[in-house]
Amino acid sequence: MPQPLSSRDNSLFRQVIRHYDGKQYKKGLKTAEQILRKNGQHGDTLAMKALIINSLGRSEEAFGLAKLALRSDMQSHICWHVYGLLYRHQKNFEEAIKAYKFALKLEPDSHQIQRDLAFLQIQMRDYPGYVASRLAILQSRPGLRQNWTALAIAHHLAGNLAGAESVLTTYEETLKQPPPKTDVEHSEALLYKNGLIAARGEVERALDHLEAVGRHVLDRTAWMETKARYLLQLERFDEAETMYRALVARNPEHRAYYRGLLRARQIDESDAAAVVDVYREWADTEPRADAPRRVPLDYLEGSAFRDAADRYLRRMLGKAVPSTFANVRGLYADVAKRETIQALVESYVSDVAGAQANGHVESAAAVDGASSTLELSALFFLANHYNYPLSRDLPKAMAYIERAITRVPDSVDYHMTKARIWKHSGDVDAASAAMEQARALDERDRYINSKAAKYALRAHDNAGALQTMSKFTRNETAGGALGDLHDMQCMWFLLEDGESHQRQGHLALALKRFHAIYDVFEIWQEDQFDFHSFSLRKGQIRAYLDMLAWEDGLRSHPFFARAALQAVGIYVLLSDQPQLAHGAALLNGHGHAGGGGGGTEAGRDDERKKAVKKAKRAQQKQEKMESVKAANAAHAIATATATAAATANGAANANGAVNAPAPQTEPRKQDDDPLGTKLAATAEPLKDAMKFLEPLLEFCPGMIEAQTMGFEVFLRRKKYLLALKCLLAASRLEPDHPVVHQQVIRFHQSLDSLHPSTSSTIHAVIGATFTTLIAAHTSPSVYNDRYLARHGHDPARLQAGLRVRNALALAPAAQNRLDLVASLDLPLLTMLQAKDGLDLSRAWHRGGRDGDGRGGGGGGGGGGSGGAGDGLLAEYVRKAGLRWPRSKLFEVEMPWDRLRLVLTGGLL
């Protein structure tokens, strides 16, 4: 039997609830303990105490109290509700739903429990359950419009469009008088209902409904766009043209409106003359619009293109529009147009310079006027032009931007472009210095500040980058500027910082950053709970549905994909070489974790042990320093907060005011692993990798890097069917991909060493499926020779073929190195591909293989590190330096350069 409370204790219990709702956790806890001193087995009070303790971060203690509360009063809906809330906090949504449903059995009329259950069901995309919950809520409170809307949304998400429309129609019939014209919720509901009608394929009825409700719709742009689309679908072209003309007049920069207008006038886009006439008409009508002048350049050819491009470029460059190059670079896929644009802009520079040299410019004012503006804009344009991949000539780009900087030395845009040119030249230090110089020209610009920090990270100046970012953070949290960036979910910085640490071999710290990005996406997933009620309360139905669709594909975001790929790669390396958890400094000359390459095996073991101990001591010292730093920062923040509070209270007392109690918010958790050491020291790295890999494969199936990384993980876990599944998926995406080619060979080798416990069925499935990748009775040697014959002109594929040939000893090691050096003459070779070749050459030069030696056959990968090998490596570096003279990539080998070869095919 539940323990009853006196009237005084009942009043105290209501105070406990108010304190919890107001986040006055300490007061609520004190009041709950006051009740429990006299009523120690009161289940509802125990449950509320558990809820407060959970909010204070003591989850295990809270669960213990909640179970005690249930034992004290199994028939209390409050106890079961709290039990569900605790499970929800632990993200165990299945158990939370069970607890909510049991609480509803005990208290069917509880609106709060019903709402919590509904929100949890939509969060888990349990649409049938959500329909049932929303129907129950509507039946209990039919007077609220948001309950009707929520039920319609539930039917819509469950696939019952007719039911959703019926709910909205029923509500409209209950209205005794029409809502005011300024009712945003009513306007959104009408547009939502209209979309439901159209989604059922009844376009004619949708158009009739749209016209009938037009005077109540506040979003006129959406109404006009929807009507124009319906008219096109119904082939009522004259009316559609009228609507699209109105839309273009409303926003002459929206290109989709022009496309709709062309369809309404039944003009095929292959009819370039007719298309250009339409845009020319609007160019005359809208003198300030850019779209009707820029889009015709996509259709014009020859002299007509030259004339139109000349007018467009003179107009834009004469106004010094910085985005001119970004506007026209989409034309560069057409070689003739690219060359025409280049010739035009170069003529502007030469014309102005010639006029000045010949005295045609009459006064200094003219030099500083239109001609000077045109020349400067043309110099800036040409710097970007020669920096662009399709027209790249970096020495020319640098010469043009230097001329522009000489004329205007305080231009931020010019210095930023110079930094980009240095980046593409391969000198990240010079790029960072140039971007820092640009930042110093405008220290109040957050964008250039962020750019400077990004370039510093790519130059591996992590401390300098954080210092730069601190100029725009409050620096009041325990973690300083980095803590602020975590709070602001500044993912680009966390990602760049993690990748920088990864390149330097700081794998633990890199993992820490990638896990922080994972946590940000978890928070975004959790944040849906706030919008399930907010969006309905505000009537923002269409935005809410868009948000749900976006959340469903949340982990396909590029930031998550990049972080997940890098994290999985690190875990794969930690699986192969656990010593790397203590730092990449443990790499020996062969790319393995350990000591030096010389001496006896026993001597090398001693060196490895000493290196591990040294790395551990360095880690412990660094962790101690970080702990002291965090403690000092926390003390400083607490002191500052106390001082500010005392000052505020003193001022209030001076004015005769009473001190108001400060709310006790949830305490900030102290990070017990600031350097990521515990993450890197995992005993099961491949299991931890699945945390990133599973969402990556689910939400990015078309990303070939995700499939190849999945192959690496599953092959090491001896999940051969899953490894083959990833390999097949990667092959479907790009069958001749360099990494896929190597992984096909590796999987072919693994078939000979399948675990004896592997069932005959799995053997048969693998044998039958693998033949779609490599024909039966085709040897790896023949397969690789055919690959090289097809792709000898492609640098990346050539390197893959050479790696296979070297690993399987299909050719002398010296020949493989010679062919690798010869690849530097390929016209399609990029600087980064040349860097990949250098890393491969160095690996061969060291005479070993990274990782666990999965390369296969023995002799081809060797060759020693002296004699001809030294000469070929030096020749590779010399030729690469001649082709990219400004690049620093070929001078220094980063720790990650050795490690990543395992992740790009695995064969050496």
Side-chain angles (χ1 to χ4, degrees):
M1 290 292 293
Q3 189 174 3
L5 293 179
S6 65
S7 59
R8 181 177 180 277
D9 289 338
N10 263 322
S11 176
L12 290 175
F13 181 74
R14 288 191 292 272
Q15 286 184 30
V16 172
I17 296 176
R18 285 197 298 272
H19 287 320
Y20 173 76
D21 291 338
K23 296 187 178 182
Q24 300 282 333
Y25 298 135
K26 291 183 180 178
K27 285 190 174 183
L29 188 60
K30 183 177 179 180
T31 307
E33 289 172 346
Q34 183 179 348
I35 298 173
L36 292 173
R37 277 197 291 269
K38 292 189 295 181
N39 307 275
Q41 298 300 313
H42 187 251
D44 292 352
T45 305
L46 288 169
M48 287 305 302
K49 182 180 178 182
L51 204 55
I52 293 172
I53 287 176
N54 183 69
S55 299
L56 293 172
R58 293 145 55 186
S59 297
E60 292 185 8
E61 184 181 351
F63 265 101
L65 269 176
K67 291 176 182 178
L68 178 61
L70 283 173
R71 285 196 294 270
S72 300
D73 190 356
M74 286 286 291
Q75 299 302 311
S76 168
H77 70 278
I78 294 178
C79 294
W80 282 104
H81 189 192
V82 167
Y83 201 49
L85 291 173
L86 294 179
Y87 271 122
R88 174 191 148 175
H89 185 265
Q90 294 290 326
K91 298 182 181 178
N92 189 343
F93 297 145
E94 291 82 0
E95 292 298 323
I97 285 178
K98 291 179 184 177
Y100 288 160
K101 288 183 176 179
F102 200 89
L104 278 176
K105 288 182 181 178
L106 299 172
E107 187 68 25
D109 297 331
S110 174
H111 182 68
Q112 183 61 48
I113 299 174
Q114 192 72 66
R115 286 177 72 251
D116 286 345
L117 175 60
F119 293 156
L120 205 52
Q121 286 168 330
I122 186 60
Q123 182 79 5
M124 295 185 65
R125 305 302 189 260
D126 176 15
Y127 298 134
Y130 187 54
V131 170
S133 295
R134 278 298 169 188
L135 181 59
I137 292 174
L138 176 61
Q139 289 171 344
S140 64
R141 294 191 177 184
L144 290 177
R145 178 167 194 160
Q146 61 179 279
N147 290 338
W148 292 85
T149 304
L151 180 58
I153 291 174
H155 280 301
H156 179 191
L157 295 174
N160 184 6
L161 300 181
E165 182 189 350
S166 175
V167 169
L168 295 174
T169 302
T170 303
Y171 174 76
E172 291 170 3
E173 292 171 351
T174 64
L175 295 176
K176 296 181 179 179
Q177 57 184 11
K181 292 183 178 181
T182 56
D183 190 337
V184 176
E185 185 176 6
H186 182 60
S187 170
E188 286 290 313
L190 291 174
L191 285 175
Y192 172 55
K193 180 181 177 181
N194 185 261
L196 291 173
I197 297 172
R200 297 178 64 189
E202 302 178 30
V203 180
E204 186 77 49
R205 188 164 70 92
L207 178 59
D208 294 340
H209 174 266
L210 189 68
E211 291 177 336
V213 302
R215 65 182 185 278
H216 297 290
V217 174
L218 300 178
D219 189 346
R220 301 306 300 172
T221 301
W223 184 86
M224 294 171 70
E225 290 175 345
T226 305
K227 182 176 180 180
R229 187 171 64 252
Y230 290 163
L231 290 169
L232 268 185
Q233 292 175 357
L234 295 171
E235 298 184 353
R236 292 160 61 174
F237 296 119
D238 292 339
E239 297 172 76
E241 180 182 352
T242 302
M243 288 305 303
Y244 276 113
R245 281 187 172 277
L247 285 166
V248 171
R250 193 180 184 92
N251 183 2
E253 300 293 354
H254 199 322
R255 299 189 181 189
Y257 296 162
Y258 292 99
R259 291 193 291 270
L261 180 59
L262 291 173
R263 289 182 58 197
R265 295 183 61 174
Q266 303 179 61
I267 297 175
D268 193 284
E269 293 199 10
S270 61
D271 187 354
V275 171
V276 170
D277 286 342
V278 172
Y279 281 102
R280 185 174 293 125
E281 173 191 346
W282 284 100
D284 296 336
T285 306
E286 302 288 343
R288 299 181 62 183
D290 178 72
R293 292 169 174 81
R294 164 61 187 85
V295 178
L297 299 179
D298 294 331
Y299 298 92
L300 294 172
E301 302 287 345
S303 60
F305 171 80
R306 181 182 181 87
D307 294 340
D310 186 32
R311 290 193 299 272
Y312 181 78
L313 290 170
R314 285 184 180 276
R315 179 176 184 268
M316 299 293 283
L317 296 177
K319 294 180 179 180
V321 177
S323 61
T324 303
F325 177 76
N327 287 352
V328 302
R329 67 186 178 187
L331 301 167
Y332 277 33
D334 187 319
V335 178
K337 291 183 178 182
R338 182 170 74 231
E339 292 175 349
T340 300
I341 291 173
Q342 175 181 318
L344 285 171
V345 182
E346 286 180 339
S347 71
Y348 304 156
V349 176
S350 60
D351 289 348
V352 173
Q356 293 175 357
N358 295 328
H360 293 171
V361 179
E362 296 179 357
S363 65
V367 174
D368 295 332
S371 61
S372 179
T373 300
L374 179 63
E375 182 188 12
L376 278 173
S377 299
L379 291 173
F380 182 56
F381 183 98
L382 288 171
N384 284 286
H385 167 84
Y386 284 115
N387 191 37
Y388 191 63
L390 294 178
S391 52
R392 181 158 291 169
D393 188 335
L394 296 176
K396 282 189 176 182
M398 186 63 75
Y400 279 116
I401 202 63
E402 289 288 6
R403 288 175 61 183
I405 290 174
T406 302
R407 297 278 297 278
V408 187
D410 58 349
S411 170
V412 175
D413 289 331
Y414 295 172
H415 284 281
M416 287 178 66
T417 300
K418 183 178 179 180
R420 294 190 184 99
I421 295 170
W422 277 119
K423 178 185 72 172
H424 294 144
S425 299
D427 192 340
V428 292
D429 294 325
S432 178
M435 194 62 78
E436 176 62 23
Q437 187 176 359
R439 185 200 64 80
L441 294 172
D442 189 355
E443 295 187 347
R444 292 181 293 179
D445 189 317
R446 185 188 294 267
Y447 173 76
I448 183 60
N449 187 81
S450 300
K451 274 289 185 183
K454 179 183 285 190
Y455 274 59
L457 288 174
R458 292 180 179 177
H460 308 127
D461 182 11
N462 301 76
L466 193 58
Q467 177 64 28
T468 299
M469 292 299 292
S470 70
K471 300 178 186 299
F472 283 87
T473 59
R474 297 181 64 183
N475 306 318
E476 295 177 356
T477 61
L482 185 60
D484 287 335
L485 293 170
H486 276 86
D487 289 345
M488 292 188 293
Q489 300 176 345
C490 186
M491 286 197 298
W492 73 261
F493 182 88
L494 297 175
L495 184 57
E496 291 284 349
D497 193 40
E499 290 177 341
S500 175
H501 283 298
Q502 183 188 52
R503 289 190 295 271
Q504 298 172 72
H506 307 153
L507 302 188
L509 205 46
L511 270 182
K512 184 71 175 178
R513 299 292 181 263
F514 299 145
H515 274 270
I517 292 173
Y518 182 93
D519 293 340
V520 168
F521 280 87
E522 285 289 296
I523 292 172
W524 287 0
Q525 188 81 20
E526 186 78 9
D527 284 347
Q528 287 183 81
F529 277 112
D530 297 331
F531 291 95
H532 295 321
S533 59
F534 174 83
S535 299
L536 293 174
R537 192 168 64 251
K538 296 297 184 181
Q540 300 298 322
I541 309 170
R542 294 177 297 154
Y544 175 62
L545 290 172
D546 290 342
M547 184 272 293
L548 292 180
W550 180 79
E551 288 278 5
D552 287 341
L554 178 61
R555 286 175 178 79
S556 63
H557 193 285
F559 279 166
F560 180 84
R562 276 176 63 185
L565 278 174
Q566 305 295 359
V568 174
I570 291 175
Y571 279 124
V572 167
L573 291 171
L574 291 174
S575 172
D576 294 345
Q577 307 172 42
Q579 298 93 328
L580 290 175
H582 305 297
L586 298 177
L587 283 171
N588 65 14
H590 299 288
H592 293 275
T600 63
E601 186 63 32
R604 287 194 294 271
D605 286 342
D606 290 340
E607 296 233 355
R608 278 194 289 269
K609 291 177 182 178
K610 290 179 182 178
V612 171
K613 289 181 180 179
K614 184 177 179 181
K616 285 183 177 179
R617 286 197 298 270
Q619 273 189 349
Q620 290 170 355
K621 183 178 179 180
Q622 183 69 16
E623 288 174 0
K624 187 175 180 180
M625 291 173 59
E626 290 291 332
S627 299
V628 172
K629 189 188 298 183
N632 291 339
H635 177 71
I637 292 170
T639 303
T641 303
T643 303
T647 303
N649 287 336
N653 290 334
N655 295 326
V658 179
N659 294 341
Q664 292 94 31
T665 57
E666 186 173 344
R668 183 184 180 92
K669 293 181 180 179
Q670 187 69 28
D671 189 353
D672 60 349
D673 186 25
L675 301 179
T677 307
K678 295 179 181 178
L679 291 172
T682 174
E684 297 179 304
L686 294 180
K687 181 179 178 181
D688 292 345
M690 294 304 297
K691 172 182 177 180
F692 291 90
L693 183 61
E694 286 177 348
L696 194 60
L697 292 175
E698 179 181 355
F699 294 101
C700 305
M703 189 178 187
I704 194 167
E705 294 84 1
Q707 301 296 343
T708 56
M709 195 62 75
F711 173 87
E712 297 291 345
V713 172
F714 291 129
L715 192 64
R716 285 166 173 78
R717 298 185 68 189
K718 300 189 185 304
K719 305 287 187 181
Y720 296 108
L721 285 177
L722 292 175
L724 180 57
K725 179 182 177 182
C726 287
L727 189 55
L728 289 169
S731 180
R732 284 192 295 269
L733 293 171
E734 190 177 343
D736 290 332
H737 191 278
V739 176
V740 174
H741 175 66
Q742 296 177 69
Q743 290 182 342
V744 167
I745 298 295
R746 285 173 52 201
F747 195 80
H748 185 278
Q749 291 177 301
S750 69
L751 295 180
D752 299 330
S753 57
L754 285 181
H755 198 275
S757 62
T758 306
S759 69
S760 58
T761 304
I762 293 178
H763 273 280
V765 171
I766 291 176
T769 309
F770 188 62
T771 55
T772 61
L773 297 174
I774 180 170
H777 310 301
T778 300
S779 68
S781 173
V782 173
Y783 181 76
N784 190 61
D785 288 343
R786 293 173 180 170
Y787 184 83
L788 281 172
R790 290 197 309 272
H791 303 295
H793 61 284
D794 184 284
R797 291 180 170 89
L798 174 62
Q799 290 176 11
L802 292 178
R803 289 175 71 167
V804 172
R805 198 170 75 181
N806 192 75
L808 301 184
L810 303 177
Q815 184 60 49
N816 295 328
R817 296 182 184 182
L818 283 170
D819 290 345
L820 189 60
V821 173
S823 70
L824 288 169
D825 297 325
L826 293 173
L828 298 178
L829 182 72
T830 66
M831 183 170 57
L832 293 179
Q833 289 172 338
K835 178 64 170 61
D836 292 340
L838 178 58
D839 295 339
L840 181 58
S841 183
R842 283 171 172 158
W844 286 347
H845 177 70
R846 287 190 292 267
R849 295 176 176 79
D850 288 358
D852 55 5
R854 289 179 314 282
S865 59
D870 290 334
L872 290 173
L873 178 58
E875 176 64 11
Y876 191 100
V877 174
R878 186 189 69 81
K879 289 186 68 174
L882 289 174
R883 188 162 177 177
W884 294 279
R886 298 172 185 260
S887 178
K888 306 295 184 183
L889 291 178
F890 308 107
E891 298 178 3
V892 180
E893 184 182 23
M894 300 294 293
W896 185 249
D897 293 337
R898 296 188 184 187
L899 296 173
R900 68 189 182 90
L901 289 172
V902 176
L903 306 174
T904 57
L907 292 178
L908 292 178

